[in-house]
Amino acid sequence: MAMKEYLKEAIQQALSQMDGVPEGFEPELEAPRIAQHGDLATNCAMQLARHLRRAPLQIAEAIAACLVLDADRIARCEVVRPGFINFRFSKRHLYQSLAACLAAGLQFGRSRKGQGQRALVEFVSANPTGPLTVGHGRNAVLGDTIANLLEWIGYDVTREYYFNDAGRQMRVLGASVRGRYEQLTHAAGVATKMLRTGTDAEVVVPASFPDDGYLGNYIITIAKALAEKHGDALLTAEDEAPFTSAAKAAIFETIKGTLQRLGIVMDVFFNEQSLYDSGAVAAVLEALRDTGYIYQREGATWFKTSALGKDGDTVLVKSSGEPTYRLPDIAYHCDKIGRGFDRCIDVFGADHIATYPDILRALRLLKLDADRVEVIIYQFVTLLRGGKEVKMSTRKANFVTLDALITEVGADVARYFFLMRSAKRHLEFDLDLAKEASDKNPVFYLQYAHARICSIADKAASIGIETDASEDFSLLVHDAEVALIRQVVRFPSALSAAALAREPHRMIGYLREVAEQFSQFYHHCRILGEPRQIARARLALALAARVVLANGLAVLGITAPTSMERREERP
RNA sequence: GCGCCCGUAGCUCAGCCGGAUAGAGCGUCUGCCUCCGGAGCAGAAGGUCAGAGGUUCGAAUCCUCUCGGGCGUACCA
């Protein structure tokens, strides 16, 4: 990164000696796709061709002629075909960066880009009506990893879970538990009826069970616990409250346990109800009213979104007097901004696509800085079992819980699978592949490279070969060695690119390349058994690769094992 | 109808703030351990980047349209 800045300045210096360069022109530097072209390249000559009315190649040559570069840092600078200027780092620079990597160790890759900035990442935010599903898993892992990425570039990050434990949903939940409880505790038994699950299976439920009640077995578990604790004393309860609160507590316990298995710990659980209790919801509605974009019609309160670029208007308070979700959502975002967060990142499933534009409209009307709000929409997860799609619905009880998924494939594989694709694409999660063919799973490739380096380091130590950051790296000249150094040294910029884009999958791609470069190095360049100085230098390089793998996996929330179960001998 | 996302190798996907020869994994085929962990390495085959226009010195990438898939578009939560 420092190198990029250095070259940018050098180029600007050269450009300042030329006529006709537009004011404020900034040269761009990129790593060429093809390694042969160098470490960094600029296309600025081609961009300037229009303004200077000269051939790009000529301009590039003129720039190159004016460039003053430190030979200690840049070994080569060449002008090629259409008008690129390619730069190649000096070996010395690479060796210095390698030493820096080893010296920084577990801190390598951390930066201060976000220093002094506070970010709130809101994710999961599932209401306590049932266990987390596979869909929540993608949300949870994405949110947590984005939070990790932000922390690594210096942000002060708060992980927040927003939930609603009031309203119709919870009443139905309570009534469902009550129905099951009556079924369990009525000595004489209760009348029953049939309901259908999402897969059309029939379920026998008590007659008092709501038709749209929750059919999952976890409801029965909760009812059983109540029966054990209270006997049949709750049969005379006046309302669903004891059932609802027991259900809520039990379900939250389950949810927290599931998140913990994935290594996720929330900082704040934010209850929507608190926004009503504090008067924040009412205050926001009043403030919006003052903007003139609120009106009454047929007993409901409307937000005039049609005047703000939307197709129609939006109800904020129903004629029943009950607010829709929009209103507390708006109040919640006002609250977040009010708490002083510089970035408010929401991780939402694709089904929420329609809600956030309204929130942003409201924030702007209220003169709040809506630009602080970033919404990350991820597409749905398709779960495949036996090559067939598994359909999911919490209420209808045919879902695969996130817990079951973790048990089946393990937390590391689960995290990896949820992160390996761009959030904006549908994710195909093939259970059979994740589990049965785990030896083909790329997460093991990364972990294996790490474990292998640990093994080599142990063996080296046992025969008295140790190393530190002050090796003579100039002994590392093999193509595979230099390629690995290049890859390792890129880690900080790869990390910050992933963080700034909020795209964890980039980190996975980068780490896969690290493991690949390491494997090539490992096969081409022996460490143990070589002359001592070479062994030490190569060991140091391997340890640098280990640093990057360990730190990269830490960002992704995946463990970096020091050893892995040995496989059976190959035939 | 309207809004957002997607269409790239047999399959699953990178690449998308325009750049140099479109990449990877899996699958298929061929080689490779006397040796630091073979969950590996080396190599091969496999492409009208959905289609058509446009902008540009240059387009998988930007714009328009068409086709195909997903998700929304409730006084549901």
Short mmCIF file of all heavy atoms in Angstrom, two decimals, chain A residues 13-71:
data_model
loop_
_atom_site.label_atom_id
_atom_site.label_comp_id
_atom_site.label_asym_id
_atom_site.label_seq_id
_atom_site.Cartn_x
_atom_site.Cartn_y
_atom_site.Cartn_z
N GLN A 13 4.50 13.55 -9.92
CA GLN A 13 5.67 14.42 -10.05
C GLN A 13 6.07 14.52 -11.52
O GLN A 13 6.32 15.61 -12.04
CB GLN A 13 6.82 13.81 -9.22
CG GLN A 13 8.02 14.72 -9.05
CD GLN A 13 7.65 15.96 -8.23
OE1 GLN A 13 6.85 15.88 -7.31
NE2 GLN A 13 8.20 17.10 -8.61
N ALA A 14 6.10 13.38 -12.18
CA ALA A 14 6.47 13.36 -13.60
C ALA A 14 5.45 14.10 -14.44
O ALA A 14 5.80 14.87 -15.34
CB ALA A 14 6.60 11.91 -14.07
N LEU A 15 4.18 13.91 -14.12
CA LEU A 15 3.11 14.55 -14.88
C LEU A 15 3.16 16.07 -14.74
O LEU A 15 2.79 16.81 -15.66
CB LEU A 15 1.74 14.03 -14.44
CG LEU A 15 1.42 12.59 -14.80
CD1 LEU A 15 0.09 12.16 -14.20
CD2 LEU A 15 1.39 12.40 -16.31
N SER A 16 3.61 16.52 -13.59
CA SER A 16 3.64 17.97 -13.36
C SER A 16 4.62 18.66 -14.30
O SER A 16 4.57 19.87 -14.48
CB SER A 16 4.02 18.24 -11.90
OG SER A 16 5.38 17.90 -11.69
N GLN A 17 5.51 17.88 -14.90
CA GLN A 17 6.46 18.47 -15.83
C GLN A 17 5.94 18.46 -17.26
O GLN A 17 6.61 18.85 -18.20
CB GLN A 17 7.79 17.70 -15.77
CG GLN A 17 8.45 17.75 -14.41
CD GLN A 17 9.58 16.75 -14.30
OE1 GLN A 17 10.37 16.62 -15.22
NE2 GLN A 17 9.65 16.06 -13.18
N MET A 18 4.71 17.94 -17.43
CA MET A 18 4.17 17.86 -18.79
C MET A 18 3.02 18.84 -18.95
O MET A 18 2.32 19.14 -17.99
CB MET A 18 3.68 16.44 -19.06
CG MET A 18 4.82 15.42 -18.95
SD MET A 18 4.25 13.73 -19.01
CE MET A 18 3.57 13.66 -20.65
N ASP A 19 2.82 19.30 -20.19
CA ASP A 19 1.76 20.26 -20.47
C ASP A 19 0.45 19.53 -20.79
O ASP A 19 0.47 18.44 -21.35
CB ASP A 19 2.13 21.14 -21.67
CG ASP A 19 3.33 22.01 -21.33
OD1 ASP A 19 3.43 22.43 -20.16
OD2 ASP A 19 4.16 22.23 -22.22
N GLY A 20 -0.63 20.15 -20.43
CA GLY A 20 -1.94 19.66 -20.85
C GLY A 20 -2.56 18.61 -19.99
O GLY A 20 -3.63 18.08 -20.31
N VAL A 21 -1.93 18.28 -18.87
CA VAL A 21 -2.54 17.30 -17.97
C VAL A 21 -3.66 17.99 -17.19
O VAL A 21 -3.45 19.04 -16.59
CB VAL A 21 -1.50 16.75 -16.97
CG1 VAL A 21 -2.15 15.77 -16.01
CG2 VAL A 21 -0.37 16.07 -17.74
N PRO A 22 -4.87 17.42 -17.22
CA PRO A 22 -6.00 18.07 -16.55
C PRO A 22 -5.74 18.24 -15.05
O PRO A 22 -5.11 17.40 -14.43
CB PRO A 22 -7.16 17.11 -16.77
CG PRO A 22 -6.72 16.16 -17.82
CD PRO A 22 -5.23 16.15 -17.84
N GLU A 23 -6.29 19.32 -14.55
CA GLU A 23 -6.19 19.62 -13.11
C GLU A 23 -6.80 18.47 -12.31
O GLU A 23 -7.85 17.95 -12.64
CB GLU A 23 -6.96 20.91 -12.83
CG GLU A 23 -6.67 21.52 -11.48
CD GLU A 23 -5.27 22.14 -11.45
OE1 GLU A 23 -4.73 22.48 -12.52
OE2 GLU A 23 -4.75 22.28 -10.33
N GLY A 24 -6.09 18.08 -11.28
CA GLY A 24 -6.65 17.06 -10.38
C GLY A 24 -6.61 15.64 -10.93
O GLY A 24 -7.23 14.75 -10.38
N PHE A 25 -5.88 15.44 -11.99
CA PHE A 25 -5.78 14.09 -12.55
C PHE A 25 -5.03 13.16 -11.59
O PHE A 25 -3.96 13.51 -11.10
CB PHE A 25 -5.06 14.13 -13.90
CG PHE A 25 -4.90 12.78 -14.53
CD1 PHE A 25 -5.94 12.20 -15.24
CD2 PHE A 25 -3.71 12.07 -14.39
CE1 PHE A 25 -5.80 10.94 -15.81
CE2 PHE A 25 -3.57 10.81 -14.95
CZ PHE A 25 -4.61 10.25 -15.67
N GLU A 26 -5.62 12.01 -11.33
CA GLU A 26 -4.96 11.06 -10.43
C GLU A 26 -4.67 9.76 -11.16
O GLU A 26 -5.58 9.09 -11.63
CB GLU A 26 -5.87 10.77 -9.22
CG GLU A 26 -5.89 11.90 -8.24
CD GLU A 26 -6.00 11.39 -6.80
OE1 GLU A 26 -5.86 10.18 -6.58
OE2 GLU A 26 -6.23 12.23 -5.91
N PRO A 27 -3.40 9.41 -11.24
CA PRO A 27 -3.07 8.15 -11.90
C PRO A 27 -3.53 6.96 -11.06
O PRO A 27 -3.51 7.02 -9.84
CB PRO A 27 -1.54 8.19 -11.98
CG PRO A 27 -1.12 9.12 -10.91
CD PRO A 27 -2.22 10.11 -10.74
N GLU A 28 -3.98 5.91 -11.74
CA GLU A 28 -4.40 4.71 -11.04
C GLU A 28 -3.33 3.64 -11.16
O GLU A 28 -2.70 3.51 -12.20
CB GLU A 28 -5.70 4.18 -11.65
CG GLU A 28 -6.92 4.97 -11.24
CD GLU A 28 -8.14 4.56 -12.02
OE1 GLU A 28 -8.22 3.39 -12.43
OE2 GLU A 28 -9.02 5.42 -12.23
N LEU A 29 -3.17 2.92 -10.07
CA LEU A 29 -2.20 1.84 -10.09
C LEU A 29 -2.91 0.54 -9.73
O LEU A 29 -3.66 0.48 -8.76
CB LEU A 29 -1.09 2.12 -9.08
CG LEU A 29 -0.08 3.15 -9.58
CD1 LEU A 29 0.58 3.87 -8.43
CD2 LEU A 29 0.96 2.50 -10.48
N GLU A 30 -2.67 -0.47 -10.55
CA GLU A 30 -3.32 -1.75 -10.29
C GLU A 30 -2.32 -2.88 -10.48
O GLU A 30 -1.39 -2.76 -11.27
CB GLU A 30 -4.47 -1.96 -11.28
CG GLU A 30 -5.74 -1.26 -10.88
CD GLU A 30 -6.85 -1.53 -11.87
OE1 GLU A 30 -6.56 -2.04 -12.98
OE2 GLU A 30 -7.99 -1.21 -11.54
N ALA A 31 -2.58 -3.95 -9.77
CA ALA A 31 -1.76 -5.14 -9.97
C ALA A 31 -2.24 -5.80 -11.26
O ALA A 31 -3.42 -6.11 -11.39
CB ALA A 31 -1.93 -6.09 -8.80
N PRO A 32 -1.37 -5.96 -12.23
CA PRO A 32 -1.78 -6.57 -13.49
C PRO A 32 -2.27 -8.00 -13.25
O PRO A 32 -1.81 -8.67 -12.33
CB PRO A 32 -0.50 -6.60 -14.32
CG PRO A 32 0.41 -5.64 -13.67
CD PRO A 32 0.05 -5.62 -12.23
N ARG A 33 -3.17 -8.42 -14.08
CA ARG A 33 -3.70 -9.77 -13.94
C ARG A 33 -2.59 -10.80 -14.20
O ARG A 33 -2.53 -11.83 -13.56
CB ARG A 33 -4.84 -9.97 -14.93
CG ARG A 33 -5.67 -11.17 -14.67
CD ARG A 33 -6.84 -11.22 -15.61
NE ARG A 33 -7.48 -9.91 -15.72
CZ ARG A 33 -8.70 -9.73 -16.22
NH1 ARG A 33 -9.38 -10.74 -16.64
NH2 ARG A 33 -9.23 -8.54 -16.31
N ILE A 34 -1.77 -10.48 -15.16
CA ILE A 34 -0.70 -11.42 -15.51
C ILE A 34 0.59 -11.00 -14.81
O ILE A 34 1.08 -9.89 -14.97
CB ILE A 34 -0.52 -11.43 -17.04
CG1 ILE A 34 -1.80 -11.96 -17.68
CG2 ILE A 34 0.68 -12.28 -17.43
CD1 ILE A 34 -2.06 -11.45 -19.05
N ALA A 35 1.10 -11.93 -14.03
CA ALA A 35 2.25 -11.62 -13.17
C ALA A 35 3.46 -11.14 -13.96
O ALA A 35 4.22 -10.30 -13.49
CB ALA A 35 2.61 -12.85 -12.35
N GLN A 36 3.61 -11.64 -15.17
CA GLN A 36 4.75 -11.25 -16.00
C GLN A 36 4.78 -9.75 -16.26
O GLN A 36 5.82 -9.18 -16.55
CB GLN A 36 4.70 -11.96 -17.35
CG GLN A 36 5.20 -13.39 -17.31
CD GLN A 36 5.10 -14.04 -18.68
OE1 GLN A 36 4.34 -13.58 -19.52
NE2 GLN A 36 5.88 -15.09 -18.87
N HIS A 37 3.63 -9.13 -16.18
CA HIS A 37 3.57 -7.70 -16.49
C HIS A 37 4.07 -6.83 -15.36
O HIS A 37 4.15 -5.62 -15.51
CB HIS A 37 2.14 -7.31 -16.86
CG HIS A 37 1.70 -7.89 -18.17
ND1 HIS A 37 0.41 -8.28 -18.42
CD2 HIS A 37 2.41 -8.19 -19.28
CE1 HIS A 37 0.34 -8.78 -19.65
NE2 HIS A 37 1.53 -8.74 -20.17
N GLY A 38 4.36 -7.44 -14.24
CA GLY A 38 4.91 -6.66 -13.15
C GLY A 38 4.05 -6.69 -11.91
O GLY A 38 3.05 -7.42 -11.85
N ASP A 39 4.45 -5.92 -10.91
CA ASP A 39 3.72 -5.90 -9.64
C ASP A 39 2.63 -4.86 -9.63
O ASP A 39 1.59 -5.03 -9.02
CB ASP A 39 4.71 -5.64 -8.49
CG ASP A 39 5.68 -6.80 -8.33
OD1 ASP A 39 5.21 -7.93 -8.13
OD2 ASP A 39 6.90 -6.59 -8.44
N LEU A 40 2.91 -3.74 -10.27
CA LEU A 40 1.90 -2.70 -10.37
C LEU A 40 2.01 -2.09 -11.77
O LEU A 40 3.08 -2.08 -12.37
CB LEU A 40 2.11 -1.61 -9.31
CG LEU A 40 1.68 -1.92 -7.88
CD1 LEU A 40 2.11 -0.81 -6.93
CD2 LEU A 40 0.17 -2.14 -7.79
N ALA A 41 0.88 -1.58 -12.25
CA ALA A 41 0.89 -0.97 -13.57
C ALA A 41 -0.04 0.22 -13.57
O ALA A 41 -0.98 0.28 -12.77
CB ALA A 41 0.44 -1.99 -14.62
N THR A 42 0.24 1.16 -14.45
CA THR A 42 -0.68 2.29 -14.58
C THR A 42 -1.10 2.43 -16.03
O THR A 42 -0.32 2.17 -16.95
CB THR A 42 -0.07 3.61 -14.08
OG1 THR A 42 -1.06 4.64 -14.22
CG2 THR A 42 1.16 3.99 -14.88
N ASN A 43 -2.35 2.81 -16.22
CA ASN A 43 -2.87 3.02 -17.57
C ASN A 43 -3.04 4.51 -17.85
O ASN A 43 -3.76 4.90 -18.73
CB ASN A 43 -4.21 2.30 -17.72
CG ASN A 43 -5.25 2.82 -16.75
OD1 ASN A 43 -4.93 3.61 -15.86
ND2 ASN A 43 -6.49 2.40 -16.91
N CYS A 44 -2.36 5.33 -17.04
CA CYS A 44 -2.65 6.76 -17.11
C CYS A 44 -2.32 7.37 -18.48
O CYS A 44 -2.96 8.32 -18.90
CB CYS A 44 -1.96 7.51 -15.97
SG CYS A 44 -0.18 7.52 -16.07
N ALA A 45 -1.35 6.80 -19.16
CA ALA A 45 -1.02 7.35 -20.48
C ALA A 45 -2.20 7.22 -21.42
O ALA A 45 -2.50 8.12 -22.21
CB ALA A 45 0.19 6.61 -21.05
N MET A 46 -2.91 6.09 -21.31
CA MET A 46 -4.06 5.89 -22.19
C MET A 46 -5.21 6.80 -21.80
O MET A 46 -5.95 7.28 -22.65
CB MET A 46 -4.47 4.43 -22.14
CG MET A 46 -3.48 3.58 -22.90
SD MET A 46 -3.79 1.82 -22.82
CE MET A 46 -3.33 1.45 -21.19
N GLN A 47 -5.32 7.03 -20.50
CA GLN A 47 -6.38 7.94 -20.06
C GLN A 47 -6.10 9.38 -20.49
O GLN A 47 -7.02 10.15 -20.71
CB GLN A 47 -6.52 7.87 -18.53
CG GLN A 47 -7.05 6.53 -18.06
CD GLN A 47 -7.19 6.50 -16.55
OE1 GLN A 47 -6.26 6.88 -15.84
NE2 GLN A 47 -8.32 6.04 -16.08
N LEU A 48 -4.83 9.68 -20.60
CA LEU A 48 -4.47 11.05 -20.94
C LEU A 48 -4.43 11.29 -22.45
O LEU A 48 -4.37 12.44 -22.90
CB LEU A 48 -3.08 11.39 -20.35
CG LEU A 48 -3.06 11.57 -18.83
CD1 LEU A 48 -1.63 11.63 -18.33
CD2 LEU A 48 -3.81 12.84 -18.45
N ALA A 49 -4.48 10.22 -23.22
CA ALA A 49 -4.34 10.34 -24.68
C ALA A 49 -5.32 11.35 -25.25
O ALA A 49 -4.98 12.16 -26.10
CB ALA A 49 -4.54 8.97 -25.32
N ARG A 50 -6.55 11.29 -24.75
CA ARG A 50 -7.59 12.18 -25.26
C ARG A 50 -7.21 13.65 -25.01
O ARG A 50 -7.29 14.48 -25.90
CB ARG A 50 -8.91 11.84 -24.56
CG ARG A 50 -10.12 12.15 -25.35
CD ARG A 50 -11.33 11.50 -24.70
NE ARG A 50 -11.04 10.08 -24.38
CZ ARG A 50 -11.68 9.38 -23.44
NH1 ARG A 50 -12.62 9.94 -22.74
NH2 ARG A 50 -11.37 8.12 -23.23
N HIS A 51 -6.82 13.92 -23.75
CA HIS A 51 -6.51 15.30 -23.39
C HIS A 51 -5.26 15.82 -24.08
O HIS A 51 -5.20 16.98 -24.48
CB HIS A 51 -6.33 15.40 -21.87
CG HIS A 51 -7.55 14.99 -21.12
ND1 HIS A 51 -7.67 13.77 -20.52
CD2 HIS A 51 -8.72 15.65 -20.90
CE1 HIS A 51 -8.87 13.68 -19.94
NE2 HIS A 51 -9.52 14.80 -20.17
N LEU A 52 -4.25 14.97 -24.18
CA LEU A 52 -2.98 15.45 -24.73
C LEU A 52 -2.94 15.33 -26.25
O LEU A 52 -2.02 15.83 -26.88
CB LEU A 52 -1.81 14.65 -24.12
CG LEU A 52 -1.73 14.66 -22.60
CD1 LEU A 52 -0.42 14.04 -22.13
CD2 LEU A 52 -1.83 16.07 -22.04
N ARG A 53 -3.89 14.64 -26.81
CA ARG A 53 -3.97 14.43 -28.25
C ARG A 53 -2.66 13.88 -28.81
O ARG A 53 -2.14 14.36 -29.82
CB ARG A 53 -4.34 15.75 -28.95
CG ARG A 53 -5.63 16.31 -28.39
CD ARG A 53 -5.91 17.69 -28.86
NE ARG A 53 -7.30 17.78 -29.30
CZ ARG A 53 -7.66 18.25 -30.49
NH1 ARG A 53 -6.76 18.69 -31.34
NH2 ARG A 53 -8.93 18.30 -30.83
N ARG A 54 -2.19 12.90 -28.08
CA ARG A 54 -0.99 12.20 -28.56
C ARG A 54 -1.20 10.71 -28.38
O ARG A 54 -2.07 10.28 -27.62
CB ARG A 54 0.23 12.64 -27.73
CG ARG A 54 0.74 14.03 -28.07
CD ARG A 54 1.71 14.52 -27.03
NE ARG A 54 2.94 13.73 -26.97
CZ ARG A 54 3.80 13.82 -25.94
NH1 ARG A 54 3.54 14.60 -24.90
NH2 ARG A 54 4.89 13.09 -25.95
N ALA A 55 -0.39 9.93 -29.04
CA ALA A 55 -0.52 8.48 -28.93
C ALA A 55 -0.15 8.03 -27.52
O ALA A 55 0.82 8.54 -26.95
CB ALA A 55 0.38 7.80 -29.95
N PRO A 56 -0.91 7.10 -26.95
CA PRO A 56 -0.66 6.64 -25.58
C PRO A 56 0.78 6.17 -25.35
O PRO A 56 1.38 6.48 -24.32
CB PRO A 56 -1.62 5.46 -25.43
CG PRO A 56 -2.69 5.69 -26.42
CD PRO A 56 -2.08 6.45 -27.55
N LEU A 57 1.30 5.46 -26.34
CA LEU A 57 2.64 4.92 -26.19
C LEU A 57 3.66 6.04 -26.02
O LEU A 57 4.57 5.96 -25.18
CB LEU A 57 2.99 4.06 -27.41
CG LEU A 57 3.99 2.93 -27.18
CD1 LEU A 57 3.52 1.98 -26.09
CD2 LEU A 57 4.22 2.16 -28.48
N GLN A 58 3.49 7.10 -26.81
CA GLN A 58 4.39 8.26 -26.72
C GLN A 58 4.29 8.92 -25.36
O GLN A 58 5.30 9.27 -24.75
CB GLN A 58 3.97 9.32 -27.75
CG GLN A 58 4.57 9.16 -29.11
CD GLN A 58 4.14 10.31 -30.01
OE1 GLN A 58 3.83 11.41 -29.52
NE2 GLN A 58 4.11 10.05 -31.31
N ILE A 59 3.07 9.05 -24.88
CA ILE A 59 2.86 9.68 -23.58
C ILE A 59 3.52 8.85 -22.48
O ILE A 59 4.22 9.36 -21.61
CB ILE A 59 1.36 9.83 -23.28
CG1 ILE A 59 0.72 10.74 -24.33
CG2 ILE A 59 1.14 10.39 -21.89
CD1 ILE A 59 -0.79 10.75 -24.29
N ALA A 60 3.30 7.54 -22.57
CA ALA A 60 3.88 6.64 -21.57
C ALA A 60 5.39 6.79 -21.54
O ALA A 60 6.01 6.83 -20.47
CB ALA A 60 3.48 5.20 -21.86
N GLU A 61 5.96 6.88 -22.72
CA GLU A 61 7.40 7.01 -22.78
C GLU A 61 7.87 8.34 -22.19
O GLU A 61 8.89 8.41 -21.50
CB GLU A 61 7.91 6.85 -24.22
CG GLU A 61 8.21 5.39 -24.52
CD GLU A 61 8.20 5.05 -26.01
OE1 GLU A 61 8.09 5.98 -26.83
OE2 GLU A 61 8.29 3.85 -26.32
N ALA A 62 7.09 9.37 -22.46
CA ALA A 62 7.44 10.68 -21.91
C ALA A 62 7.36 10.65 -20.39
O ALA A 62 8.24 11.20 -19.70
CB ALA A 62 6.50 11.74 -22.47
N ILE A 63 6.33 10.01 -19.88
CA ILE A 63 6.20 9.92 -18.42
C ILE A 63 7.37 9.14 -17.84
O ILE A 63 8.01 9.57 -16.88
CB ILE A 63 4.87 9.24 -18.02
CG1 ILE A 63 3.68 10.09 -18.45
CG2 ILE A 63 4.83 9.00 -16.51
CD1 ILE A 63 2.34 9.40 -18.32
N ALA A 64 7.63 8.00 -18.46
CA ALA A 64 8.70 7.14 -17.95
C ALA A 64 10.03 7.89 -17.94
O ALA A 64 10.85 7.72 -17.02
CB ALA A 64 8.79 5.88 -18.79
N ALA A 65 10.23 8.72 -18.94
CA ALA A 65 11.49 9.46 -19.02
C ALA A 65 11.63 10.46 -17.87
O ALA A 65 12.73 10.77 -17.43
CB ALA A 65 11.58 10.18 -20.36
N CYS A 66 10.50 10.96 -17.39
CA CYS A 66 10.53 11.95 -16.32
C CYS A 66 10.52 11.32 -14.93
O CYS A 66 10.69 12.00 -13.92
CB CYS A 66 9.33 12.89 -16.42
SG CYS A 66 9.33 13.88 -17.90
N LEU A 67 10.22 10.02 -14.87
CA LEU A 67 10.07 9.37 -13.57
C LEU A 67 11.41 9.27 -12.84
O LEU A 67 12.40 8.86 -13.41
CB LEU A 67 9.51 7.96 -13.76
CG LEU A 67 8.00 7.81 -13.79
CD1 LEU A 67 7.63 6.37 -14.11
CD2 LEU A 67 7.38 8.23 -12.48
N VAL A 68 11.35 9.64 -11.58
CA VAL A 68 12.53 9.46 -10.72
C VAL A 68 12.15 8.41 -9.68
O VAL A 68 11.26 8.63 -8.87
CB VAL A 68 12.90 10.78 -10.02
CG1 VAL A 68 14.14 10.57 -9.16
CG2 VAL A 68 13.11 11.87 -11.04
N LEU A 69 12.80 7.26 -9.77
CA LEU A 69 12.42 6.16 -8.88
C LEU A 69 13.61 5.67 -8.08
O LEU A 69 14.74 5.64 -8.57
CB LEU A 69 11.84 5.00 -9.70
CG LEU A 69 10.53 5.30 -10.43
CD1 LEU A 69 10.19 4.17 -11.39
CD2 LEU A 69 9.40 5.52 -9.44
N ASP A 70 13.32 5.27 -6.88
CA ASP A 70 14.33 4.73 -5.99
C ASP A 70 14.62 3.28 -6.40
O ASP A 70 13.73 2.42 -6.31
CB ASP A 70 13.77 4.78 -4.56
CG ASP A 70 14.75 4.23 -3.56
OD1 ASP A 70 15.81 3.73 -3.98
OD2 ASP A 70 14.45 4.30 -2.35
N ALA A 71 15.82 3.02 -6.86
CA ALA A 71 16.16 1.68 -7.35
C ALA A 71 16.10 0.64 -6.23
O ALA A 71 15.99 -0.55 -6.49
CB ALA A 71 17.54 1.69 -7.98
#
